[in-house]
Amino acid sequence: MATVEKISTEQKANPIKSLITGGFGGICNVLSGHPLDTIKVRLQTMPRPAPGEQPMYKGTFDCAAKTIKQEGVRGLYKGMSAPLTGVAPIFAMCFAGYALGKRLQQRGEDAKLSYSQVFVAGSFSGLFSTLIMAPGERIKVLLQTQQASGGQRKYNGMIDCAGKLYKEGGLRSVFKGSCATMLRVVKQYAGE
């Protein structure tokens, strides 16, 4: 009786290929998830109905139907440019960092990594993504909180905010909080 051995091989990681596929994956993620994000935001920000009045939306499906009826399918994709500018590069850097982390540890073309080596490769993934994620999160938080604090509006969008941060304190100001973001993301991505 002949037995067939199952041979498991793993090709050496290619960071450039991973950069491209990660970017494409990020774009696909935004294209598929943005309509649900639009619906979520509309449900969270709809005005509270007066006593005896119906709410603007009865739920998720009602919101989707009304959005499509009033604005067409394109209405579900409003505001998509902001996530697209950040997510594709974040995913690209994430995949490239993971591939580089693997490549640095692989001793042969078909070498299989241990679980601890995969953990380290995942950490590289988080380290690389932080380069794009940290400034984006800093800008997002400043834009979200600028009027909630009761002060005047200081920033007029993401490009204006990035420019003013840079003028105020250079790259150090743009990347403020990066260490905490990196520690969170490295741990998070290492475990995935």
Side-chain angles (χ1 to χ4, degrees):
M1 186 190 262
T3 60
V4 178
E5 283 187 41
K6 188 175 182 181
I7 300 173
S8 176
T9 61
E10 219 175 272
Q11 289 185 337
K12 198 148 185 157
N14 181 337
I16 300 299
K17 183 177 176 183
S18 295
L19 184 78
I20 294 166
T21 57
F24 182 72
I27 291 168
C28 291
N29 184 31
V30 172
L31 290 174
S32 63
H34 195 78
L36 293 172
D37 190 59
T38 300
I39 292 166
K40 175 195 71 136
V41 168
R42 288 182 179 200
L43 288 170
Q44 289 174 333
T45 60
M46 71 177 168
R48 173 173 256 149
E53 286 185 8
Q54 290 288 323
M56 185 182 291
Y57 307 113
K58 295 176 188 166
T60 303
F61 296 110
D62 182 51
C63 181
K66 286 180 179 175
T67 300
I68 292 169
K69 184 177 179 182
Q70 294 168 357
E71 304 170 51
V73 174
R74 293 180 78 179
L76 295 172
Y77 290 92
K78 283 191 173 175
M80 187 175 68
S81 62
L84 274 178
T85 59
V87 169
I90 287 170
F91 271 68
M93 294 300 283
C94 177
F95 277 52
Y98 181 69
L100 180 63
K102 284 176 62 176
R103 187 176 192 93
L104 290 173
Q105 299 177 87
Q106 287 177 312
R107 296 292 172 228
E109 190 64 35
D110 296 330
K112 189 165 172 72
L113 298 178
S114 68
Y115 288 120
S116 60
Q117 288 173 313
V118 171
F119 182 87
V120 170
S123 297
F124 268 84
S125 173
L127 186 67
F128 275 59
S129 333
T130 301
L131 294 172
I132 296 169
M133 187 180 298
E137 284 195 13
R138 172 132 163 84
I139 291 166
K140 178 191 76 156
V141 167
L142 288 172
L143 291 173
Q144 287 175 329
T145 59
Q146 69 179 344
Q147 288 181 301
S149 62
Q152 278 204 311
R153 187 174 180 181
K154 183 175 180 179
Y155 308 109
N156 295 314
M158 95 181 165
I159 294 171
D160 180 55
C161 183
K164 286 180 179 172
L165 286 174
Y166 185 77
K167 282 181 184 175
E168 290 169 6
L171 285 176
R172 178 172 275 167
S173 179
V174 175
F175 281 88
K176 188 175 184 179
S178 293
C179 185
T181 301
M182 180 186 64
L183 292 172
R184 182 195 75 205
V185 173
V186 163
K187 175 190 66 71
Q188 176 186 0
Y189 285 20
E192 288 185 352

